Amino acid sequence: MFDQNQVQPWIDSLQEIFRNSRSNYNNLLQMEKDIQQISTFLEDYANLRYALDASAIVAVTDTSGKIIYANQKFCELSKYSTEELIGQNHRILNSGYHEKGFFGKMWRTINKGDIWEGEVKNKAKDGTFYWVKTTIVPLKDQDDKPIMHIAIRTDISEGKLAQEKLVEALQNDFTHVVNSMNNLIFKVAKDPDEKFIYILNEGKLAYQLGLENEKMRNKRPNEVFTSEIANMLVSKYEQAFLGQPITYNYAYKDRQLLTYLSPIHRDGKVVEIIGCINDITELHHVQEEVEFMAFHDILTSLPNRRKFCDDLHHLMGKSQEKKEKIAVFFLDLDRFKQVNDSLGHSVGDQLIKAVAKKLKKGIRPNAEIYRLAGDEFIIIYPELTSTDMASKYAEEILSIFDQSIQLDRNEIITTCSMGISFYPEHGEDCDSILKKADIAMYAAKLKGRNHFCIYEQEMNQANEEALLIENHLRKAIDNNELELYFQPKLDLYTRKINGMEALLRWKSPMFGNIPPDKFIPIAEDTGLIIKIDNWVLEKACVQNKEWNHTCFSTPLRVAVNISPLHFRLPNFQQVVEDVLEKTGLDPQLLELEITENSFIDNIDECIECLEKLRKMGIVVAIDDFGKGYSSLNYLRKFPIQSLKIDRSFIHEVSKNREDIAIVKAITFLAHELNLKVVAEGIETKEVIDILEEIGCDEIQGYYISRPLPKQEFETIYRTWI
């Protein structure tokens, strides 16, 4: 069983005993005993070898795994000759069936001097496989250390191969069923190093994800997935191995995967976990969309009020730590209702989207914008150290609206009004801060729009007053609370009255005389201005018809201011025609004054309307010229007869050379276009002299006469004829 090298140590010991016996007789006696023991050992060894060779497959390896003995049965089973086996590492028989940890555990056992038992699948020389029941016994030296290993094997191939066929049949049936499913079924176990490994991966989803069984078997998570995903999976597997079912989802290869883990118990211990993975990508997208819709505005994709409150609450917590302010801007587009009513909701929606885009691009990087509702937006500026910063940011936002917005055929000029409140000084919750910003915004609208206001306590009263004015204004016409005043126009060449402007006044039983600049903005915001303007137009025509019949020596023209909203509604010219027909006034004795902004939003429709008015004989004038957004192109295109220079230029014309230059340029331009020039806001004779020298055609202002009620106007008219 052993070669010469293994017996040689015993022979060397005998020789040493013979050498020592020459000097000591007792050693001879001891030698005789040793020889008897060796004889007995060799006889026992021979018997043992015969018994083993006859009944078992025997091999001996050294501690490094090199084969130093193989009996005939071993050669027959492995189909290697003795010469081919001796000196080879035992790995020559490795079938590749067992995982790495299998043999590692075996070597750790026998290297400690313990006996190892197990079933091993080996590969013969001809490539066939066989199974052996193996017992490995370490042989130890005097220091109890293994010096070689005897492996005694029994051929169990027939039973194992039958078992494999049965398992394969069952697995094929199982695999067929699993692979017909759209999900992924997998099993996880632990290797000898207590690391998780995959022992099964089947299902259509496995192939779709590139995780089929052939690629996954006996692999650890970190050998398949990124470290981030692998660490997460290991954490879930550890929880499942504690005996509890686990559910989780994660993203992998652009898919959302929902996983269920169930522990498998054996003898009261979790030995494996089985998992089921479902592709929930579509459901996940739907959930994301639902969540997005819950926190975002559909039209602009901006965060909505709910998201605003969540974000503001979060910022409040951070602000308390840093002791900084949070500014909330409440922004409302000016005259948006008119755009909707005149151009339609489709254009209104386009305008909202365009404004949202401009705001998002124009605000500071640390700010966040939200759409509240309709034409209302909210902007949060966190980490403010002073109110001056908020004012600076508000000016930046107002400047965003300096440029017009082009929407298909419509060029729209829009402005905004803003209210600003601060946390924590104006409130400690979302609703109170938003309410204060809303109140401040309304105060900005009352200032004439395109303004911003920071909330003050007094604004509460002003807001309540505005609401009262709105309620009473709705009843003012029916209650005969409105009255027309008339301000004469003077021909600068003849120095005679050649017309008058009808101006609205409101004397409320509750509030007394309310200035137009206080109730007109409210009327425009609420849409009441349409009804009011129609009333003014009819009353002015009735009065002028009466005066031209009974009072005036020569026919005079009456001018009526028309809100821009009228030119955003269809068939305004029909409204005018109906009034003229009803009152009997000659169309040539009616002048309509419109602001520059009236025709900016819908140029083509406005031109068409003005052309029809001109054909009727009605005079059209541009009021407050130079204050808005006019261009030379508009003056060339529009069928207008006169320009009224804004009073802001006239007021300083006697003191400011620049204003003189502006008025002179406007006058020259108007005359070149065959337009009459009217200057309003005249308060001194010096201004009249300058305007006369410039060549202005008509003047109007307090120096000539303030606006007067009917009887007083008749009186002053007689003094000027």
Side-chain angles (χ1 to χ4, degrees):
M1 185 174 183
F2 303 114
D3 61 19
Q4 182 65 28
N5 292 331
Q6 293 161 320
V7 180
Q8 188 63 44
W10 294 336
I11 296 174
D12 292 342
S13 297
L14 288 173
Q15 289 175 344
E16 181 66 24
I17 292 173
F18 282 124
R19 283 194 296 270
N20 292 336
S21 65
R22 296 172 186 172
S23 59
N24 191 335
Y25 174 75
N26 290 332
N27 287 346
L28 292 173
L29 296 175
Q30 182 63 41
M31 181 181 69
E32 184 179 359
K33 292 179 180 180
D34 290 340
I35 291 172
Q36 290 177 350
Q37 291 177 356
I38 291 170
S39 176
T40 302
F41 169 76
L42 292 174
E43 184 179 353
D44 291 341
Y45 162 74
N47 293 332
L48 177 61
R49 174 181 175 180
Y50 176 79
L52 286 174
D53 283 342
S55 62
I57 303 162
V58 181
V60 181
T61 63
D62 62 15
T63 55
S64 67
K66 185 172 66 176
I67 301 172
I68 58 178
Y69 174 80
N71 72 352
Q72 188 59 34
K73 281 187 173 292
F74 191 5
C75 294
E76 292 173 359
L77 186 60
S78 67
K79 296 183 174 54
Y80 287 100
S81 66
T82 303
E83 293 75 14
E84 288 175 318
L85 290 173
I86 301 301
Q88 292 290 334
N89 191 285
H90 216 283
R91 284 193 293 270
I92 193 176
L93 305 171
N94 196 324
S95 65
Y97 174 80
H98 303 282
E99 68 271 11
K100 296 177 182 179
F102 178 82
F103 292 108
K105 186 175 181 180
M106 179 195 77
W107 278 105
R108 285 193 294 272
T109 301
I110 60 179
N111 283 338
K112 289 191 300 182
D114 297 333
I115 296 173
W116 182 86
E117 291 184 338
E119 295 179 351
V120 181
K121 184 177 184 179
N122 286 337
K123 184 170 71 172
K125 182 180 178 180
D126 62 0
T128 60
F129 298 97
Y130 62 92
W131 280 87
V132 286
K133 175 71 175 178
T134 304
T135 301
I136 301 178
V137 181
L139 295 181
K140 305 176 184 178
D141 60 12
Q142 293 178 353
D143 296 326
D144 204 32
K145 293 182 178 179
I147 58 173
M148 65 185 68
H149 306 109
I150 299 177
I152 303 170
R153 298 176 172 89
T154 303
D155 185 4
I156 59 171
S157 299
E158 186 175 350
K160 291 295 290 186
L161 291 175
Q163 181 182 354
E164 281 185 342
K165 289 181 179 179
L166 177 61
V167 170
E168 183 179 359
L170 292 173
Q171 285 181 339
N172 288 339
D173 186 55
F174 170 78
T175 302
H176 177 73
V177 173
V178 171
N179 284 338
S180 298
M181 301 172 65
N182 290 320
N183 55 8
L184 187 158
I185 304 296
F186 68 96
K187 289 177 71 176
V188 176
K190 287 186 177 181
D191 63 15
D193 295 328
E194 293 295 307
K195 301 295 184 181
F196 294 115
I197 59 171
Y198 295 100
I199 59 176
L200 175 70
N201 259 63
E202 294 290 354
K204 288 183 179 179
L205 185 57
Y207 290 88
Q208 293 170 6
L209 297 174
L211 302 177
E212 54 267 30
N213 198 48
E214 295 77 10
K215 295 181 180 179
M216 298 291 289
R217 186 173 179 82
N218 297 326
K219 294 286 185 66
R220 294 176 179 176
N222 60 0
E223 295 177 306
V224 180
F225 303 101
T226 63
S227 58
E228 182 179 359
I229 293 180
N231 292 337
M232 181 275 295
L233 294 176
V234 168
S235 173
K236 301 299 181 183
Y237 299 159
E238 287 174 346
Q239 295 178 51
F241 259 82
L242 295 176
Q244 295 297 322
I246 302 295
T247 302
Y248 59 94
N249 64 281
Y250 62 99
Y252 181 69
K253 291 189 175 181
D254 297 326
R255 301 199 189 198
Q256 286 292 327
L257 305 177
L258 177 64
T259 305
Y260 302 93
L261 296 181
S262 299
I264 299 175
H265 296 80
R266 189 177 300 140
D267 300 328
K269 181 181 178 181
V270 177
V271 293
E272 294 175 343
I273 52 177
I274 186 167
C276 177
I277 299 178
N278 293 287
D279 185 351
I280 59 167
T281 304
E282 186 174 348
L283 176 61
H284 181 77
H285 288 335
V286 172
Q287 290 175 335
E288 281 187 330
E289 185 175 349
V290 170
E291 184 175 355
F292 183 87
M293 291 172 62
F295 289 94
H296 290 79
D297 168 57
I298 302 302
L299 179 64
T300 63
S301 295
L302 291 176
N304 59 14
R305 177 171 181 157
R306 179 185 295 182
K307 188 69 166 63
F308 160 73
C309 290
D310 287 351
D311 290 351
L312 183 59
H313 181 75
H314 176 70
L315 289 171
M316 286 176 180
K318 295 173 63 177
S319 177
Q320 288 176 345
E321 298 174 3
K322 297 182 179 181
K323 297 182 179 179
E324 293 174 330
K325 292 184 178 182
I326 301 173
V328 172
F329 288 47
F330 193 113
L331 184 153
D332 183 89
L333 298 184
D334 296 327
R335 298 187 177 93
F336 176 73
K337 185 178 184 300
Q338 290 90 317
V339 175
N340 250 356
D341 292 342
S342 60
L343 302 181
H345 290 282
S346 177
V347 175
D349 287 347
Q350 291 181 49
L351 178 60
I352 291 295
K353 291 169 68 174
V355 168
K357 187 176 180 180
K358 286 171 71 81
L359 288 172
K360 195 170 183 179
K361 184 179 179 181
I363 62 175
R364 297 269 173 149
N366 66 328
E368 187 63 56
I369 180 172
Y370 308 79
R371 185 187 179 202
L372 186 61
D375 61 331
E376 297 173 339
F377 297 86
I378 308 170
I379 303 174
I380 295 180
Y381 281 95
E383 302 177 357
L384 262 68
T385 56
S386 68
T387 56
D388 290 341
M389 291 178 65
S391 298
K392 179 182 178 182
Y393 297 158
E395 293 289 354
E396 291 175 354
I397 294 172
L398 291 177
S399 69
I400 293 174
F401 295 89
D402 287 345
Q403 299 297 321
S404 63
I405 297 175
Q406 188 68 41
L407 301 176
D408 297 331
R409 295 172 53 202
N410 302 295
E411 183 181 9
I412 298 178
I413 294 290
T414 186
T415 57
C416 73
S417 300
M418 281 183 295
I420 305 172
S421 62
F422 296 104
Y423 170 83
E425 61 190 86
H426 294 147
E428 296 185 354
D429 59 76
C430 172
D431 288 340
S432 59
I433 292 175
L434 192 59
K435 181 179 179 181
K436 303 293 175 56
D438 188 11
I439 292 173
M441 182 276 295
Y442 200 80
K445 280 194 177 293
L446 293 177
K447 287 176 65 175
R449 302 180 183 83
N450 199 29
H451 286 86
F452 73 90
C453 287
I454 296 175
Y455 173 78
E456 297 176 359
Q457 184 65 35
E458 295 77 11
M459 291 179 180
N460 286 331
Q461 181 178 351
N463 190 44
E464 293 173 0
E465 182 184 38
L467 290 174
L468 283 173
I469 289 175
E470 178 185 340
N471 290 333
H472 284 268
L473 185 57
R474 293 182 182 277
K475 307 172 185 177
I477 294 178
D478 295 335
N479 294 340
N480 295 317
E481 298 172 11
L482 300 180
E483 182 181 0
L484 286 185
Y485 277 43
F486 299 88
Q487 187 174 31
K489 292 181 180 180
L490 197 69
D491 186 305
L492 198 54
Y493 179 73
T494 63
R495 300 297 175 101
K496 292 184 178 180
I497 293 177
N498 67 345
M500 59 280 181
E501 180 179 1
L503 299 168
L504 182 63
R505 295 294 182 264
W506 178 23
K507 186 174 183 180
S508 168
M510 173 175 284
F511 302 104
N513 292 320
I514 303 176
D517 60 358
K518 194 169 186 178
F519 70 83
I520 292 297
I522 297 174
E524 290 185 330
D525 283 338
T526 58
L528 289 172
I529 195 67
I530 297 295
K531 183 178 180 180
I532 291 174
D533 277 359
N534 290 345
W535 181 89
V536 171
L537 181 63
E538 182 175 337
K539 292 297 181 182
C541 289
V542 168
Q543 184 60 67
N544 197 30
K545 172 73 174 178
E546 178 188 330
W547 277 338
N548 277 293
H549 183 67
T550 61
C551 182
F552 298 155
S553 57
T554 58
L556 298 183
R557 184 182 295 125
V558 64
V560 177
N561 289 285
I562 297 298
S563 169
L565 179 57
H566 286 281
F567 291 92
R568 297 187 178 104
L569 297 175
N571 299 323
F572 171 62
Q573 72 279 359
Q574 187 62 51
V575 173
V576 178
E577 187 174 351
D578 291 344
V579 169
L580 291 174
E581 184 177 352
K582 181 179 180 180
T583 60
L585 182 68
D586 186 343
Q588 297 183 16
L589 298 181
L590 174 64
E591 179 176 333
L592 299 180
E593 294 186 0
I594 62 175
T595 61
E596 301 170 59
N597 294 341
S598 300
F599 49 79
I600 293 297
D601 293 344
N602 48 341
I603 297 174
D604 294 339
E605 291 83 354
C606 188
I607 290 176
E608 183 180 355
C609 177
L610 294 180
E611 285 286 1
K612 292 179 179 178
L613 292 173
R614 187 182 67 172
K615 289 179 180 179
M616 291 166 56
I618 296 170
V619 174
V620 178
I622 294 182
D623 194 13
D624 300 331
F625 184 79
K627 185 179 180 181
Y629 304 93
S630 287
S631 72
L632 299 181
N633 188 46
Y634 293 150
L635 293 180
R636 180 177 60 84
K637 285 184 176 181
F638 278 74
I640 54 178
Q641 285 78 36
S642 64
L643 297 180
K644 291 187 72 174
I645 302 175
D646 185 70
R647 66 180 64 246
S648 61
F649 298 111
I650 304 301
H651 183 67
E652 298 290 331
V653 75
S654 63
K655 304 174 184 178
N656 192 318
R657 296 183 60 86
E658 288 78 6
D659 284 344
I660 293 177
I662 291 173
V663 173
K664 186 180 293 186
I666 293 175
T667 302
F668 176 79
L669 173 65
H671 287 165
E672 286 295 311
L673 295 173
N674 295 318
L675 302 178
K676 185 184 294 184
V677 178
V678 182
E680 57 182 343
I682 308 300
E683 296 182 359
T684 65
K685 185 178 184 304
E686 184 180 4
V687 171
I688 295 177
D689 294 338
I690 294 173
L691 293 174
E692 186 175 21
E693 183 179 348
I694 289 174
C696 187
D697 299 299
E698 295 180 0
I699 57 175
Q700 169 183 353
Y702 274 41
Y703 184 77
I704 300 162
S705 172
R706 60 183 176 81
L708 301 170
K710 174 185 175 182
Q711 290 78 7
E712 293 184 32
F713 181 83
E714 292 173 355
T715 301
I716 197 172
Y717 169 77
R718 295 187 182 97
T719 64
W720 283 87
I721 58 174

